Amino acid sequence: MNDNLHQLRCFGCGERISGSDARPDFRCAQCGDLFEVEYPGWSQRQSNSRPNPGALKWLWRERRCSSESLDQSGVWRFRELLPILDSYGNAITLREGNTPLYRLTRAARTLGIDQLFAKHQGMNPTGSFKDTGMTAAMSVARERGFEWVACASTGNTSAAMAAYAARAGLRSLVLIPEGKIAWGKLAQAMDYGAVTCQLKTDFDGCVEVLAKIVQEAPIYLLNSVNPYRLEGQKTPAIEIAEAFDWNVPDHLIVPGGNLANSSALGKGFREMRELGLIARMPHISVIQAAGSNPLVRSFAQSGGASLEPVEAHTRASAIRIGNPASWRKAVRVIQETGGWCLDVTETEIAIAKAELGAEGLGCEPASAVTLAGLKKLRADGRVAATDFVVLVLTGHTLKDADYTIDFHRGSLLKEHEAMGHEAEIDALRRNAVAVDATPEAVLAAMKGSAG
Ligand code: F0G
């Protein structure tokens, strides 16, 4: 059976093409912009292919009890909203999705918010939100008969791609900026058998090299310019809505790097609203690191009309991106939902990450920008005490253990960065201590530890 009901629509000029006609770099031949997946049948109210919201809610709930591997995936459980494959038999899944939604009680109390949750996408099979997108796009790669897949990455995309390629029996090529990705992520690419090339450039330089390679060799590009990635990455929006019985939060707060994830989640909420699954969209806000903030600058300089690439610097290496590919899509989501785009400093990121850790929710530094950003939105009243807020935590804490250890040892932040925040930082630091191998020494260390 052919389940495939999609076409691709250019985000810039509106040109429509069939999925198999996309160029290897996924850019529009007319205007150079990116595509997004569109399901023409959904817009016609009487169409047979327009999903029925009540039936979907029931079906998706039923599938939770199923032992079929496709139903156990938190992406493919919602497959009616991503009919991108000719046959679901081609789906490559590692049981991604179904990630936990945790209540943040301490942070909520400190911020004076009633309802604060974290959707922890770091609890995916390879430890980041990339898995939800990778299961979708890798399945397309296999269905189209590619032997090689490739991506440029700050680390998480490459880890996810390498794992899913291995499951699919495909070869994978990873381009990463030398010395600029966290060890945990590099280890994963190696473990899953990717050809891993460390280039003497930054992430944006890796993207440029790869764009040329895919023009010359039959390699399937799995960066987030690939619109099928976003189809998978929109499913956490469905999980969030389902978890709250189809009521949506007032605010969804997402980190911004290459700016695909915010776009994908926005697409998920938009489509659910259009299909009648939910009544409204949350305000979607994107938070960048201050040293890698091209979208924040774009809003300040041109209201999001144009974007000047920056040279990116941040210890949150996952979002060290100066020339984000999906910025126009992110602008649309922020504007249509009435969200905001702001940036946070290295100190604010480090403190927020430690605060999340102290609540038992480890995450990557790039994920902690969400809590740091929320503090600002709350402080100036853009988020109200009665608002219902969800932070999207994108990566697992073990991805970048060096960062965490450096923070707790006190060697992460430079003196000028910590200045004025010493008390806050000291209260959060929990360095490991060397003690004699006696019960007395250990008990003394316990007594000596702060509250
Ligand atoms: N958080 C983490 C942990 C990431 O790895 C990334 C992106 C982002 C946030 C930003 O998401 O790019 O969709 O805005 N990592 C990419 C990578 C670029 O190569 O792994 P975005």
Side-chain angles (χ1 to χ4, degrees), residues 127-130 151-159 185 203 223-224 229 233 254-263 286 317-319 321 364 366-367 393-396 399:
S128 87
F129 72 101
K130 305 286 181 179
C151 71
S153 181
T154 57
N156 279 327
T157 302
S158 49
K185 304 174 188 180
F203 168 80
N223 274 95
S224 53
R229 284 264 314 273
Q233 283 177 215
V254 191
N258 218 11
L259 297 172
N261 201 33
S262 40
S263 322
V286 174
S317 57
I319 51 172
I321 295 175
E364 275 197 51
S367 310
L393 303 184
T394 45
H396 198 281
K399 290 275 190 172

Side-chain angles (χ1 to χ4, degrees), residues 299 303-305 330-339:
F299 273 106
V331 166
R332 179 178 70 176
V333 168
I334 293 168
Q335 289 178 339
E336 79 172 315
T337 65

Side-chain angles (χ1 to χ4, degrees), residues 193-242:
V195 174
T196 305
C197 301
Q198 310 190 68
L199 307 191
K200 289 192 194 314
T201 178
D202 54 12
F203 168 80
D204 302 295
C206 292
V207 169
E208 278 173 38
V209 172
L210 188 57
K212 293 188 183 121
I213 294 176
V214 295
Q215 304 285 2
E216 285 169 26
I219 302 176
Y220 194 66
L221 181 63
L222 281 174
N223 274 95
S224 53
V225 293
N226 181 322
Y228 300 110
R229 284 264 314 273
L230 277 59
E231 291 310 287
Q233 283 177 215
K234 76 186 182 189
T235 57
I238 314 175
E239 287 188 348
I240 291 170
E242 187 189 46

Side-chain angles (χ1 to χ4, degrees), residues 30-243:
Q30 310 300 322
C31 73
D33 211 328
L34 300 179
F35 285 97
E36 58 181 6
V37 176
E38 187 180 66
Y39 305 99
W42 292 5
S43 52
Q44 298 141 25
R45 295 226 160 251
Q46 304 308 324
S47 157
N48 283 342
S49 60
R50 184 181 160 90
N52 172 304
L56 284 182
K57 289 176 187 177
W58 180 85
L59 179 65
W60 294 339
R61 191 170 290 264
E62 285 297 296
R63 281 186 186 147
R64 280 186 174 170
C65 306
S66 160
S67 53
E68 287 290 319
S69 69
L70 219 54
D71 295 341
Q72 289 186 353
S73 158
V75 171
W76 298 107
R77 183 160 73 89
F78 304 109
R79 52 192 174 271
E80 288 72 19
L81 291 204
L82 55 150
I84 54 176
L85 297 177
D86 289 341
S87 162
Y88 289 120
N90 287 320
I92 311 294
T93 173
L94 278 166
R95 313 288 194 277
E96 53 290 318
N98 295 319
T99 53
L101 194 57
Y102 298 116
R103 193 163 199 141
L104 288 169
T105 44
R106 280 188 238 174
R109 206 178 315 127
T110 317
L111 287 167
I113 299 176
D114 295 340
Q115 296 188 75
L116 177 60
F117 293 85
K119 176 72 173 162
H120 205 328
Q121 293 299 101
M123 306 301 252
N124 268 295
T126 77
S128 87
F129 72 101
K130 305 286 181 179
D131 293 343
T132 56
M134 210 46 83
T135 184
M138 190 66 73
S139 305
V140 174
R142 181 161 84 165
E143 190 164 270
R144 304 235 166 113
F146 282 88
E147 284 172 21
W148 277 89
V149 292
C151 71
S153 181
T154 57
N156 279 327
T157 302
S158 49
M161 181 188 75
Y164 282 84
R167 299 298 297 168
L170 305 185
R171 302 292 313 277
S172 64
L173 170 70
V174 163
L175 302 191
I176 48 172
E178 187 178 26
K180 293 179 187 151
I181 80 165
W183 286 117
K185 304 174 188 180
L186 179 60
Q188 286 179 294
M190 294 174 175
D191 206 19
Y192 305 136
V195 174
T196 305
C197 301
Q198 310 190 68
L199 307 191
K200 289 192 194 314
T201 178
D202 54 12
F203 168 80
D204 302 295
C206 292
V207 169
E208 278 173 38
V209 172
L210 188 57
K212 293 188 183 121
I213 294 176
V214 295
Q215 304 285 2
E216 285 169 26
I219 302 176
Y220 194 66
L221 181 63
L222 281 174
N223 274 95
S224 53
V225 293
N226 181 322
Y228 300 110
R229 284 264 314 273
L230 277 59
E231 291 310 287
Q233 283 177 215
K234 76 186 182 189
T235 57
I238 314 175
E239 287 188 348
I240 291 170
E242 187 189 46

